[in-house]
Every structure is written in C-alpha cells, then in structure tokens.
Amino acid sequence: MTCAACAGRVERKLNKLDGVTATVNFATERATVSYPDGLDVGALVSAVEAAGYTAIPPQPATQSTVDGEATDERAEDLKARFVIAALLGLPVILLSMIPALQFPFWQWVALALSSPVVLVCGWPFHRTAAVNLRHGATTMDTLVSMGVAVAYLWSVYALIWGGAGMPGMVHEFSLLPRESSTADIYLEVAAGVTMFLLLGRWLEAGSKRRSGAALRALLALGAKDVAVLADGRERRIPVDALTVGTLFVVRPGEKVATDGVVEEGTSALDRSMLTGESVPEEVGPGTAVAGGTVNAGGRLVVRASRVGADTQLAQMARLVEQAQAGKAQVQRLADRVSAVFVPVVLVIAAATLAFWLLWGATASFALTAAVAVLVIACPCALGLATPTALLVGTGRGAQLGILVKGPEVLESTRRVDTIVLDKTGTVTTGVMTLAGVVPAEGVDRIELLRLAGAVEAASEHPIARAIADGAAKEVGELPTVADFGNNEGLGVQGTVSGRAVVVGRPRLLAERGVELTAELAEAVRVAEGSGRTVVAAAVDGVAAGLLMVSDTVKPTSAEAVRRLRQLGLRPVLLTGDNATVAAAVAAEVGIPAADVIAEVMPADKVAAVRGLQGEGRVVAMVGDGVNDAPALAAADLGLSLGTGTDVAIEAGDLTLVRGDLRVAADAIRLSRRTLGTIKGNLFWAFAYNVAGLPLAAAGVLNPMLAGAAMAFSSVFVVTNSLRLHRFRSWAE
C-alpha cells in the first residue's frame, strides 16, 4: 500500500465478505479482521489480492511480524531509486531553470537524463496506478503517475513535433507556470516531482520504522534459548520448546525465559522495559517473575507458569498492536474524505484544463495548471496523520509501562474531569505492616516484639504476618511457641520461653481479665482515630503493650494526587474501609473529606461511579483490575493499576503495569498529547491540500514546487509524530 486510499480500498474489499469486520492500518500495513468460524483465512487473502494487493496471515504472537524487515527492504529500494533520480534529475532541473547553462541541444540531453528517472525510478508510482486502474480504482499514485506522465509525454511531443527540439531553444527561470507555446518542455517537472516524491517516501519509510521501534524493542526482550533443569543436570533448549511446569535456570545477566515462580535462589530483577521502573525488584522463593526481565544478581531456578502467547510480555505486545491497529474517531473522518478525494481531484484537474483552454490560454499553460492540481492534491500526509502518532505514542507508553487498549481511549482522556481512586492496592500498598509499638510502663520494646512476634508467627492472618515480619526485622530470629491457640476473629495465645502470651483485640484481653492502663487506653483511642488497627499484648496476665498495624500509603500517592489536580481532574477516594480509615488516608494524600466515598462493598463500587456520572461528571476509575473490574468497565475511562495480569488488561482501557499511581497521571498526559498530535497532523494535512488546490488551479503554482511541498508534507507529519518519543514520565 502506498497511501490512505489503498488502505481504504483493501478495507472495503474485506468488509464486503459476509460476517467480516476489518480495519486496515496504512502505517503498520496490517489488517485486523474479525470473521465467522466457517470462513477460511485464505478467503481473506484472496479478497486482498482481488483488490490488487498481497497479504500473508500473521505469525504467532511471540514472533510478531512487527520486525521491520519488509520496511527495511522498501526503504533501501526507495533510497536507491531516489539517489539515481537525484543524480540524473538535478542536472535536468538546473539546465531547465538556468539559461546560462543551456548549450545547443541541451534539451535532448535533458530528455536522455529524465527518461530513466520517470520510467525506471518512478516505476512504483506507475505500476501501482496501473494495477489499481485495472481494478477500477484510483489512489494517490494515480494522481502522481498522471501528473508525471503528462509532463513527460508533453515534453516528448514538444521536442519531436512542437519545435522545442530546435537548436538554440532557451528556457527562462520561473517559479510560476510558463505562459508559452508548444515549443516549451516540462522535463524538469517530470524529473523533479519524481525525485521529491521518492525522497518523501524514503524518509517516510525510515520514520515509520523508527515509530515502531518501541514495540520491536518490547518483542525483542524475550530470550532465544534457556537452560532447563532435569535430574539435576542443565541442558539448553529453544524457548519455544518450554512447557508449563518445567524448571529452568537464570544466571546473572541472563533474561528470564518465560513467566514463572522462583523455586530456588535470591536475586534482583531489572523490570524496566516491562514497567518503566528503574529500581531492580528483589525476588526469592515463591516470587512470581515475568519473562523478558533481566537477572541482575544471583542464580535463580524458576518453574515456568506461562509460555508462548500467554506470557505477560506477549500480552503487552498484543495490546500495543491492537491499539496501533485501531482508528480514532478523528481518523474515520479522514478516511471518508480520502475515499472520495482522488476522483474529485481528477474532476478538478479536468475542469482546470478545460477552463484555461476556453479562457484562451495556451495548451502548454493549461496542461501545466492541470498537472499542478494533480500533484499538489496527493494527500499522502492524510493517511499517515493518525497511524504514525498512534505508533509512537503507544510505543512510548509501552516503554513507560502504560498500555493503551485502543485509539478511542484517547478521545475519552480529553473529556474526563473526575478520577476515582480505589484505596487498597492503589493509593495504599495493600499490604499490612507494623506501623507502631507502644510498650507498657516498665516493659522493654524489644522484649515485647520478641514475645508477641513469636506467637503471631504461628498464625497465617495478614495482621499476624505484619506483626511477625515487623518484629523479625527488629529482633532477628524469633523464638518458637508452644501451646499455640487461635481465638477466631479475636487473636492468638501461646507459651514463649516459659511465659504465657496473649495477643489480639483489646476485647480478648478484657475477656481474660486483663485491663489496659489509662496510658494504653488513650493510645488505642488515638491510633484508631488515625485509621490504624490496634493489637494488644499481655504477658503472664499483665498488659505488656500495643502493636499498631496499618495498610501504609504508597510514598508516591500524595504526589500523584497533586499531578492529577494539575491535569484539571478532581480526585475521589473510593474504599470499602470504614470512614475513619478512609478519612485518614485521604488527608495524607491531599483529598478533601467531601471527596471520600467509604464503606462501599465491591458490588456497590459500580453504583458509586454511576452516581458521579449522574451528576454530569465524566469519570475515570483507577483500580487493581481484579475486584474493581465492574467499576472499571462502568467508568468512562478505566485505568487498571499494578499487575498487568489478564484481568487487568481486559478490565481497563489503560493498563498501568507498574504499581505507581503517578503513572496514571502520565497515562492521561501521554494520551492527551497523542490525541493532540493526531489532530495537529490532520489539520496540517487538510490545510495543505485546501490551500494548495486553488493556487494550482489558478495557474500560479509550478508543478515541481508542488511535488516538493507535497513530499515534505508527509515527512512533516511523521516528524511531528516522532516528537512523542521525547515524552517524559513525571516519575522519571
């Protein structure tokens, strides 16, 4: 395909098949097709071939066809054609426009030099135009081929039959079409337009490859082979041969071959390409790891849990490709325009020729004006405006751990004015931690932690684990517990180093006849008022102190809320926790109490989102993508935070692989900037043609300059899109 009209033609041909829905992307040269089970893929390929093009079915997801090899070959071919066209065409332009260089019979030398340029270097334009004509269609190449052919054939006619071949014929320099006779030739127009368009197509091909670089880098992350472990011995096999449950070894500096769970060893993994997070993540036995991450530390033995197209890396790549294949609403308007543009331009060119001939102008002048109309009208930039911006924007997002589900998401980010933040796991870490210790008078803090931590270590309750882990960090190895007992919903008890220890809610101690001192009772009131969970400890029947546990606020959440406000959004905190805890968290991150919705059951989160929408607000929802999935789907814009799992990818419009809330602000910024780039590209593509057509029809535009301007309009659009590569995360 060479232009938006080609993509539109293939799309229409596919959509004529029963039950088929197709979208064709000019920039990525891919068709995304939904078709009924009974239809063979060969029928789709045949439909594309019937339109005058070729197609191959996609490769498996793990070996994406976004490898750029075809783009490289085309770029090299266009480069070779442009170099030859420049070497032969520039002398033609200089000879035609500088009278001082025009020696006797210079015009025949110009014909000899320009003929290979038009017929050989420009062959792709002519071949595509002929193929489409055979199928009863017209594209941008039809305009180019006709413009170049008319200028060249007129010149040949003028040289042989019109008197232009006589010795001493002189061309005067002019930026405007020349008002002259059949003794005039336009070889510089034919050679110049071909040369400039080849330059534009070559630069465009290179830019398209650069715009897809982020996705290729993502796909290249996967390891090529892996050392599997069987009977205590290692042997290397291709990654494609890995199966779920296989043990494999990851040495320092190697990539993790596929998603899995660490069985042996500890290390740090560099996850920057998957999540944008520059700080390596510590991993050990039981930790889930993703394929493509790099082992920065010790030797790991990993058991494969997902392989091939099921891995997180493959899911990310698939999501990015889906986004790039889609079309924003603004692009659909451009498609409708380009579908009728070429026939309209042909009519305008014919009308221009007829008008000037009837007005009394020479055939040479009328023909030149018509050629200028054909050349200036080619809206190649129109077909590149949306796809290139999407390629670069979604690719840059993938580098930062932001996955955009489709271009329609970009439209939503512009309208959103309220952003609902789920508390647990989004604003907070979602993991209970030991947040404070208050020993009773005369009790040593370390001894309190040692005894309470030992009893809690025997329990699997999240609060117990938080106390045990916090105690172990301060005390070291905890002693063993004897006579352990669990009081469901209240606490635990046991014997540690010969001492009777009870740890649990203050109510449990009261039931055992243990009363808290006035100081400890006041500490309980203050802690609960700040949203912390309080656990009391008694040793040998006497109150020994308090341990406070809380789900801590992520250190970046307050900054993220500030950033969201800067984007004009109103943050709202949504949680199932009680109002006291919710108010404490909201105050810490800078959300007013009036914007807190607390004590909401997971099933009622949808109603909370609907309530805000009922107030006339356009709502974005940020959640962890699992229990928040219904609310994410109900929101105008759903942002799944943190895990990059199957559910998160399916539930949200935007998936944020890293668990940093600041990335939500980055995602909205990047989406808005990508949408702005698309609109800017479309404006300039339309404005260029709208401004140029009247000038060409009025006979005040030299066709060669029109060809140069048209070629560079495509380059401008692609270059403007490439500016999205410079987008920087606030978290960087």
Side-chain angles (χ1 to χ4, degrees), residues 418-424 427 570-587 589 591-615 617 619-622 628 631:
T418 302
I419 185 161
V420 176
L421 309 174
D422 173 58
K423 181 183 77 69
T424 306
V427 176
R570 169 196 169 195
V572 174
L573 187 68
L574 181 67
T575 179
D577 273 352
N578 63 64
T580 303
V581 173
V585 171
V589 298
I591 296 176
D595 289 333
V596 177
I597 304 174
E599 300 177 17
V600 178
M601 298 299 291
D604 296 328
K605 288 184 177 181
V606 173
V609 170
R610 297 278 190 220
L612 289 166
Q613 290 170 329
E615 296 173 10
R617 297 192 166 275
V619 180
M621 167 80 185
V622 186
D628 298 316

Side-chain angles (χ1 to χ4, degrees), residues 697-718:
V700 294
L701 190 64
N702 187 300
M704 185 177 63
L705 295 181
M710 195 275 283
F712 283 103
S713 70
S714 295
V715 178
F716 167 80
V717 162
V718 178

Side-chain angles (χ1 to χ4, degrees), residues 50-71:
Y53 303 87
T54 57
I56 56 170
Q59 303 302 308
T62 50
Q63 299 293 325
S64 173
T65 51
V66 189
D67 53 17
E69 290 180 10
T71 310

